[in-house]
Amino acid sequence: MMRRRNGTIGRNRRIANSPIGRNRGIARSTKGSTITIAIAIAVVLLPLLLRCGSRDERPSIVLVTLDTTRADFLGCYGDSVAETPVIDAFARGGIRYDRAFCHAPLTVPSHATMLTGRYPRSTGVMRNSDTIPADEPHIAEILANAGYETAAFTSVKILSERAGFGRGFTTFDMPESTRSRPGEETVAAALAWLEARDAQTPCLLWVHLFDPHFPYRGTEGLAHYERAAYYDGPLREGNWNEIERAAETGWNETEHERLLTLYRSMIAYSDRWIGALFDGLRSAGRWENADVYFVTDHGEAFGEGTYLEHANAIHPAVTRIGLIRKPAAQSRSEAGGTVVSAIQGAIDLAPTMLRGCGIEPPDAMEGRMLYSSTAEAPADRAVIIEEPPLPESAALRIADRNALFFPRPDGATAAPPRTSGERLAVARGEGFFLFDGVGGEALLSMPGGARRSGPGAAIGDLIPYRKALLDWRKAHPLPDGTDTGDLDPETRRLLESLGYL
Ligand SMILES: [Zn+2]
């Protein structure tokens, strides 16, 4: 069962499509009162005429968001065993952002940032149970008001109209009876919508796929899964019961590889269905004049920084995201195969999408631009990543899990999950700086390795990171009430089923 809503935003376009040309003909061929009437009509219709005239040339926006996918598990980001031919080919034809980051490693906050162009702390959407406030900017609402057709197809119930994602979308399609749905179903729904549309009207189409999210079920018919089938250990699907059992009896390299293989197979599965979506856009005549974005909402940890999964992991492995753009044909200038190594954030998506449509982003949007080259981008750019505050129950569960995988003599975990206070990171240039408001530690990760500075360590390299962080904190004070508060029973059940509580 899928839920669909067809609103009334699109009706204005039918007014804009009225036979304006005929009115102009009347004005040319008659005199007197007819001319007066024609002028009056022209005055009324001029804005619509201008909108109509420019609308046909404006690009469509296609936003594909892939959940839980680490950039470095995609072929185009250097994974030699990835099965991601579609995403890799897309990167070869577009602009790939090599140092792009999310701003919270959690599905709802990360997607809210993409659609609003605002930091999680600015919108207050810091947890999966939060709702985008109605007064926040939202690209779908802005584009719908500008005459775009708008449709969203999400694969997990936490990305819902109820959570504020539906604002501005004339069609909002999400799983109804299950917590999530496979990419095949989501893409099929999106393609059915596309087929019923007039390719001349620009659209905003958002398609979200969830498959690489834990548990990594594996997918038949893909090489990774078939290789994994030879495995004879306890990990059949990669769910937590199996993982904990395996860890208790001795987690080893074979189990670890098995887990990675299952995860990779789900990325490969998603790649296949993104390919079906791209093919559908081409056959619908939508591809050339579409500004197409592929982005992952966060990555996933498999032990890096003593993290597993993603919810509390502000580590480069988890917060670096895959981000690729194919500009629409008319604004494309030899973009194919470009790699931008400047720092970018998911926060830059919304303003870039709007500018691509000739719309100046609202002042409230905090993102900048997805630059077309490294040289264009400011070298001193820093983006902030924030660890979402977790409910006590989730923090305890993660602490137990960390103790199982990363035992320490004192029984403590290396990175206790955040339930209060703040834990932030700064991505700037080649570095990644971690500020732990609880422990006061700083960690600087560099590509190809990491080095840690102890509390109070004065390393000159850290100064620009600390400055960027302090400037940001001054502009973004921690809001009150970062505890999880009371959840309604439905939200609680949903979050529990996704493993977040
Ligand atoms: Zn996610």
Side-chain angles (χ1 to χ4, degrees):
M1 279 291 289
M2 298 172 196
R3 182 152 54 119
R4 292 191 181 171
R5 175 174 63 81
N6 287 305
T8 55
I9 294 164
R11 285 179 193 158
N12 293 333
R13 282 188 305 279
R14 283 194 279 278
I15 297 169
N17 284 335
S18 63
I20 292 163
R22 287 207 296 273
N23 293 329
R24 291 161 119 190
I26 290 167
R28 278 197 303 269
S29 61
T30 59
K31 294 180 179 177
S33 61
T34 308
I35 292 175
T36 308
I37 292 166
I39 289 170
I41 290 171
V43 167
V44 170
L45 292 182
L46 186 61
L48 294 174
L49 173 67
L50 290 172
R51 177 190 284 183
C52 183
S54 59
R55 186 197 66 214
D56 288 346
E57 294 166 10
R58 288 182 298 175
S60 287
I61 301 289
V62 177
L63 173 64
V64 178
T65 65
L66 180 57
D67 220 288
T68 322
T69 300
R70 283 172 64 145
D72 59 348
F73 276 57
L74 300 170
C76 54
Y77 281 84
D79 186 355
S80 60
V81 294
E83 287 181 69
T84 51
V86 171
I87 297 167
D88 299 346
F90 182 59
R92 285 195 298 276
I95 305 168
R96 179 172 70 79
Y97 296 91
D98 198 54
R99 293 275 295 158
F101 290 85
C102 65
H103 307 284
L106 207 52
T107 303
V108 167
S110 190
H111 280 87
T113 290
M114 292 179 203
L115 300 189
T116 63
R118 306 229 318 137
Y119 277 107
R121 197 182 278 197
S122 301
T123 60
V125 183
M126 300 171 72
R127 299 153 296 191
N128 278 343
S129 54
D130 290 329
T131 297
I132 303 173
D135 58 354
E136 291 291 337
H138 192 304
I139 53 160
E141 189 172 63
I142 295 167
L143 289 172
N145 287 337
Y148 272 63
E149 292 205 73
T150 51
F153 300 84
T154 70
S155 296
V156 68
K157 282 173 84 169
I158 50 175
L159 295 178
S160 66
E161 292 173 278
R162 192 162 164 261
F165 287 96
R167 186 152 47 93
F169 283 111
T170 309
T171 296
F172 197 95
D173 186 311
M174 56 178 265
E176 177 66 15
S177 59
T178 54
R179 73 181 182 101
S180 66
R181 62 180 171 185
E184 179 176 5
E185 286 180 19
T186 308
V187 168
L191 290 177
W193 181 86
L194 260 183
E195 278 172 20
R197 288 295 176 289
D198 171 12
Q200 299 306 313
T201 306
C203 68
L204 165 66
L205 172 62
W206 170 31
V207 178
H208 161 261
L209 302 187
F210 191 66
D211 304 285
H213 193 280
F214 185 87
Y216 324 115
R217 296 184 195 86
T219 305
E220 290 181 29
L222 292 162
H224 269 108
Y225 184 76
E226 285 166 2
R227 275 201 295 279
Y230 291 101
Y231 167 87
D232 195 27
L235 298 186
R236 306 315 308 167
E237 284 195 340
N239 63 51
W240 267 114
N241 285 341
E242 292 178 352
I243 290 170
E244 286 175 7
R245 250 199 325 275
E248 280 162 7
T249 57
W251 188 260
N252 58 39
E253 193 59 30
T254 310
E255 264 66 58
H256 193 77
E257 277 304 312
R258 164 75 177 181
L259 202 59
L260 294 184
T261 300
L262 291 171
Y263 174 62
R264 279 199 171 94
S265 78
M266 298 317 294
I267 296 173
Y269 169 87
S270 303
D271 184 85
R272 174 185 288 182
W273 288 104
I274 291 169
L277 176 67
F278 286 178
D279 286 346
L281 286 162
R282 289 188 185 96
S283 50
R286 292 277 196 178
W287 184 258
E288 275 303 307
N289 197 29
D291 206 351
V292 184
Y293 298 82
F294 164 84
V295 61
T296 69
D297 68 338
H298 50 77
E300 186 82 320
F302 294 94
E304 294 84 357
T306 71
Y307 290 112
L308 292 167
E309 292 191 74
H310 53 264
N312 74 318
I314 49 170
H315 185 279
V318 178
T319 55
R320 181 181 177 222
I321 56 174
L323 176 57
I324 305 166
R325 177 190 183 193
K326 177 202 82 73
Q330 83 264 19
S331 62
R332 187 173 167 180
S333 54
E334 305 299 322
T338 302
V339 178
V340 174
S341 58
I343 292 285
Q344 302 269 195
I347 201 166
D348 300 325
L349 275 161
T352 307
M353 287 190 263
L354 291 179
R355 288 204 178 94
C357 303
I359 298 170
E360 191 55 27
D363 291 343
M365 286 191 175
E366 299 176 281
R368 296 189 191 178
M369 275 293 292
L370 292 174
Y371 296 98
S372 298
S373 70
T374 305
E376 266 180 67
D380 61 348
R381 174 88 187 277
V383 297
I384 304 295
I385 301 118
E386 180 159 18
E387 180 178 325
L390 291 177
E392 204 71 40
S393 57
L396 285 172
R397 183 174 55 86
I398 290 169
D400 283 349
R401 192 179 294 168
N402 284 356
L404 190 64
F405 282 88
F406 315 109
R408 288 182 10 162
D410 58 4
T413 56
R418 171 190 174 193
T419 53
S420 61
E422 54 184 349
R423 189 180 285 140
L424 301 164
V426 179
R428 182 183 182 279
E430 296 287 293
F432 190 90
F433 170 76
L434 183 73
F435 170 81
D436 184 342
V438 182
E441 288 190 336
L443 169 74
L444 179 65
S445 293
M446 306 292 284
R451 57 198 170 96
R452 183 189 291 270
S453 69
I459 298 178
D461 291 350
L462 295 181
I463 291 171
Y465 298 92
R466 285 193 173 130
K467 184 179 182 317
L469 185 113
L470 292 173
D471 287 349
W472 187 85
R473 284 176 81 217
K474 202 178 290 177
H476 299 81
L478 190 64
D480 292 334
T482 49
D483 62 304
T484 54
D486 290 331
L487 299 176
D488 64 83
E490 190 186 337
T491 302
R492 176 166 287 281
R493 271 197 302 278
L494 178 59
L495 293 179
E496 280 172 352
S497 76
L498 290 164
Y500 288 118
L501 291 179

